[in-house]
Amino acid sequence: MARGVTEPRSSTERSLVRAIGTWALAAGIINVTVGGGIFRLPADVAAALGPAAPLAYVVCAIAMGLIVLCFAEAGSRVSLTGGPYAYVELAFGPYIGFLTGVLIWFLGTTAVAAVSTVFATNAAKLFPVFEQPTMRAILLIASFATVAKLLPLLLLVLAGAFFIDTANLAITTAPAAGDVTRASIVLIFAFSGIESALVPSGEVREPARTVPRAVFMAMLVITLLYIAIQLVAQGVLGPALATSTTPLADAAGVVLGPWGRILLLSAVVISTFGYLSGMTLAIPRALYAFGRDGYLPAFIAAVHPRFRTPHISIAIQSALACALAITSAFGPLAIISNVAALLVYFGCSVAAWELRRRDVASGGIPFRVPGAAVVPILSCAMIVGLLSSITLPEWRVLVFVLAGASVLFVLTRRRRAALAAPTA
């Protein structure tokens, strides 16, 4: 019988060190999730919903809460590196698993590129020399090896609470459901990251305990922080928030003065450094898994003999994301990334139900999702509702990516069969 996805596929999988604990994984999720998007998106949500903008955060928090329940159970049941890719593959077979892996890689690449453009834009306001295309490209290239973040956001929230004009938070007209949905699909960009931070599951200690605890801890912190940020920005700036290109920096300028604006502009640069460093840990593991499983050349799954990291996949991923960041803009990249993320979430929600039905427990004693029969259904319903606001042109790119992945799946069939043969 051919080996299953729950077994190590090669000696390189066994050589990965299980060194990531609960606090480290939670910090990684927060680091990946709280990226440059939150520094820009409050203005976009305010433009769509005005004072009712917090409703979009509530919708996203509910959706992500349901999704997190599914991720937590699936993650505690499957310990193999690859995260959602491994969850879905085990539940529905290699083809659907591979498409999920491609979506993870694609959303990670486009998200990193999108956040990198925010980083470059804000850095250029601090240092105008980076307005020049060549210098901007150099800055983006340098950003893919840097780290750090959160204190300026917390300072804005704590100090800004005393400057809120409650009239700016008054909702005079109930927004249309379609407007809330569209705003939420944009805002998902600020919440995505769990699917990336959980990819190194093969390097997590006691995943049955670590994954659920880390996910819930991180999501609680992130949700409270985001709602507080939106309320402060809305309360301080009022209608001006909707037209601001640097909303949190502008709010900090009102609350803390000119030095506060400079601090928040600097925080964007620092935050995106942290985001990129987190994604440099997470997303290349998807390429590693593809190489390990025979979808891509085997050298991509090489593990460094000294540092025990998949160094080839890290180098390739960083180069691809950097090139896309240099040649693209934030808006289209964010929407494409969000659609890919929601499709991955949909697959994992269904996979969580299937893995529990089959009682898979390769990661140890699995975490039991309360209301397991209902949670995946509610999660899928929320995702479908959010995706209903996506236009046909926005779907086109994803269709092309999945079609290309399907061709690759067929072309590599013999190579994958050869890899499986020795353990048949």
Side-chain angles (χ1 to χ4, degrees):
M1 182 176 69
R3 72 187 137 208
V5 73
T6 59
E7 302 173 47
R9 303 281 181 120
S10 66
S11 61
T12 64
E13 179 76 16
R14 292 189 294 270
S15 70
L16 293 174
V17 178
R18 291 189 178 275
I20 302 174
T22 300
W23 288 102
L25 184 58
I29 294 171
I30 294 171
N31 186 42
V32 169
T33 305
V34 184
I38 192 58
F39 289 92
R40 169 169 174 153
L41 289 172
D44 297 320
V45 181
L49 299 178
L55 291 176
Y57 288 87
V58 173
V59 170
C60 285
I62 293 172
M64 291 304 300
L66 293 169
I67 291 165
V68 164
L69 286 172
C70 297
F71 262 88
E73 176 155 356
S76 71
R77 290 177 178 275
V78 182
S79 62
L80 188 69
T81 287
Y85 162 46
Y87 312 160
V88 177
E89 181 182 12
L90 181 56
F92 303 113
Y95 175 63
I96 302 300
F98 174 63
L99 293 184
T100 301
V102 169
L103 286 172
I104 293 170
W105 170 80
F106 189 64
L107 79 88
T109 302
T110 52
V112 167
V115 169
S116 296
T117 66
V118 176
F119 155 71
T121 298
N122 283 268
K125 289 186 178 293
L126 287 173
F127 308 103
V129 66
F130 293 118
E131 295 281 5
Q132 302 174 19
T134 300
M135 294 302 297
R136 177 185 172 91
I138 292 173
L139 182 63
L140 284 167
I141 292 170
S143 74
F144 281 84
T146 316
V147 89
K149 102 164 126 214
L150 290 174
L151 287 180
L153 288 175
L154 296 176
L155 178 61
L156 174 61
V157 168
L158 294 175
F162 297 97
F163 289 80
I164 290 176
D165 182 349
T166 56
N168 290 333
L169 301 179
I171 301 174
T172 56
T173 304
D179 292 337
V180 175
T181 300
R182 184 64 182 180
S184 298
I185 197 75
V186 174
L187 192 58
I188 282 290
F189 187 82
F191 280 87
S192 63
I194 296 175
E195 76 294 331
S196 300
L198 290 183
V199 170
S201 298
E203 296 159 78
V204 172
R205 290 197 308 266
E206 299 181 275
R209 291 163 53 89
T210 298
V211 170
R213 292 180 179 182
V215 165
F216 287 124
M217 187 184 305
M219 281 306 301
L220 178 61
V221 171
I222 292 165
T223 301
L224 293 177
L225 176 63
Y226 282 179
I227 292 176
I229 287 171
Q230 183 70 37
L231 290 174
V232 167
Q234 190 84 48
V236 170
L237 297 179
L241 175 62
T243 57
S244 175
T245 57
T246 54
L248 300 193
D250 290 348
V254 174
V255 173
L256 303 171
W259 72 269
R261 186 174 188 277
I262 293 174
L263 176 65
L264 262 292
L265 287 173
S266 301
V268 177
V269 177
I270 294 172
S271 178
T272 50
F273 281 167
Y275 177 89
L276 292 174
S277 69
M279 294 296 269
T280 299
L281 164 69
I283 288 299
R285 268 61 177 188
L287 288 182
Y288 165 87
F290 292 156
R292 176 198 66 198
D293 296 346
Y295 297 105
L296 293 176
F299 76 89
I300 292 177
V303 174
H304 195 281
R306 177 182 176 187
F307 300 109
R308 299 292 184 89
T309 56
H311 58 297
I312 300 297
S313 62
I314 290 173
I316 292 174
Q317 176 64 35
S318 297
L320 289 172
C322 185
L324 189 58
I326 293 171
T327 59
S328 305
F330 176 84
L333 289 171
I335 291 294
I336 292 170
S337 177
N338 290 347
V339 175
L342 287 171
L343 291 176
V344 171
Y345 297 158
F346 186 90
C348 284
S349 297
V350 180
W353 179 87
E354 175 65 11
L355 292 171
R356 181 166 184 167
R357 186 187 69 81
R358 288 161 46 187
D359 196 26
V360 174
S362 68
I365 300 174
F367 171 77
R368 297 284 182 175
V369 171
V374 177
V375 168
I377 296 173
L378 293 177
S379 176
C380 290
M382 289 289 293
I383 293 169
V384 170
L386 291 172
L387 289 174
S388 67
S389 66
I390 300 300
T391 64
L392 288 178
E394 290 167 343
W395 277 113
R396 189 176 298 129
V397 174
L398 272 299
V399 170
F400 286 150
V401 168
L402 293 177
S406 297
V407 172
L408 182 61
F409 183 86
V410 173
L411 293 179
T412 59
R413 190 181 301 275
R414 289 185 178 179
R415 182 193 305 159
R416 289 184 284 110
L419 286 174
T423 58

